[in-house]
Amino acid sequence: MRPQRFFLGAMCLMTLFFSSCIGVKTNITIRDNGTGTIALEYRISRTVDSLGKLDGNEGWPPLPVGKADFERTITRIDGLRLTSFSTRDDETDRVIRVKMDFSGPEALIGFLDVPGQRAQLIREEKKHCLSLTLGAGTQNQDPELMALTETVFRGYAVELDIAFPRDITLTLIDGSGRQIDAPPAGNIRKTGRNLRFSAPTAALLSTKEPVLMEIRW
């Protein structure tokens, strides 16, 4: 496997709003009836974009950067609808802004976790529980790859804001099943109905052990 393809492949194994791009901001609003909205902004460094064009990899873009690409992605998820899309280039990045509506919890989970492994939403008696996995869980860390990750992703961050219909409780669980107070990478803030998670992209990609975040409302 070529190193460039391995690096981009490792990035794409993660959920879209955590690390399938360089920097991402996601704002999600969940209404009481399960519908809601998603506002997404992600930045792709031209440096990383060029990695996908090395050694004949031009036909393998790391993530959708055009409206048609994004439409093809979300049409695979029932109940998800694109309401606006815009893109622009600045001196260092391509910036994509997307807004979507979802018609129910299944569509939201479909967006958060296309592979079906890192996000779940279950009903617990009269409450809902949204489970999200934070971090890459890179147990066997290659020093050269970690150094490359730090260099390429320097200055970029992952931000997730979710507004729930009711007050929430938050639980963090490490890979050993133990409850912890804070994730190994980034910060979490809970205030009433709102949750905010933020972390440097490089730190999130370099975590040795993923953390399970459970939100109940």
Side-chain angles (χ1 to χ4, degrees):
M1 181 179 292
R2 292 189 179 101
Q4 293 88 356
R5 187 177 292 275
F6 172 81
F7 178 67
L8 288 173
M11 290 164 52
C12 290
L13 286 175
M14 307 187 67
T15 58
L16 176 65
F17 63 86
F18 283 134
S19 64
S20 59
C21 48
I22 291 293
V24 58
K25 296 181 180 180
T26 307
N27 288 276
I28 299 172
T29 299
I30 303 174
R31 304 186 186 99
D32 198 42
N33 64 359
T35 66
T37 60
I38 302 167
L40 175 68
E41 176 185 297
Y42 57 97
R43 291 177 169 267
I44 308 171
S45 166
R46 294 181 181 180
T47 301
V48 170
D49 187 51
S50 68
L51 289 176
K53 299 180 174 62
L54 297 176
D55 296 333
N57 290 337
E58 293 90 345
W60 196 73
L63 73 164
V65 295
K67 184 177 181 180
D69 296 329
F70 210 94
E71 286 176 334
R72 281 192 293 269
T73 299
I74 68 171
T75 53
R76 301 169 187 163
I77 303 172
D78 291 337
L80 193 63
R81 183 174 66 91
L82 181 68
T83 58
S84 70
F85 181 96
S86 66
T87 181
R88 65 177 177 86
D89 291 333
D90 61 22
E91 293 182 357
T92 59
D93 303 323
R94 172 159 293 184
V95 183
I96 296 96
R97 290 189 175 95
V98 182
K99 291 185 178 180
M100 294 166 281
D101 290 338
F102 57 89
S103 61
E106 294 80 9
L108 173 61
I109 293 301
F111 164 75
L112 291 176
D113 187 14
V114 174
Q117 298 175 350
R118 303 182 67 88
Q120 288 185 330
L121 180 62
I122 61 175
R123 181 86 175 184
E124 296 180 339
E125 296 181 354
K126 295 183 179 181
K127 288 184 175 291
H128 292 87
C129 178
L130 174 63
S131 299
L132 299 173
T133 301
L134 307 176
T138 311
Q139 293 288 344
N140 299 317
Q141 295 186 336
D142 180 272
E144 292 185 1
L145 181 58
M146 293 299 101
L148 177 61
T149 300
E150 177 62 33
T151 299
V152 172
F153 290 80
R154 184 175 295 126
Y156 294 92
V158 172
E159 298 178 9
L160 171 66
D161 288 275
I162 308 179
F164 294 86
R166 291 180 293 280
D167 287 354
I168 62 174
T169 59
L170 173 66
T171 305
L172 299 176
I173 302 171
D174 67 13
S176 301
R178 296 172 299 185
Q179 188 170 331
I180 58 177
D181 295 327
N187 297 288
I188 293 179
R189 185 177 66 201
K190 178 184 74 72
T191 55
R193 300 182 178 186
N194 299 303
L195 180 96
R196 175 178 171 80
F197 171 77
S198 62
T201 305
L204 199 60
L205 283 170
S206 302
T207 54
K208 291 184 178 181
E209 186 176 86
V211 171
L212 181 66
M213 178 170 63
E214 295 183 340
I215 310 139
R216 291 176 172 83
W217 73 95

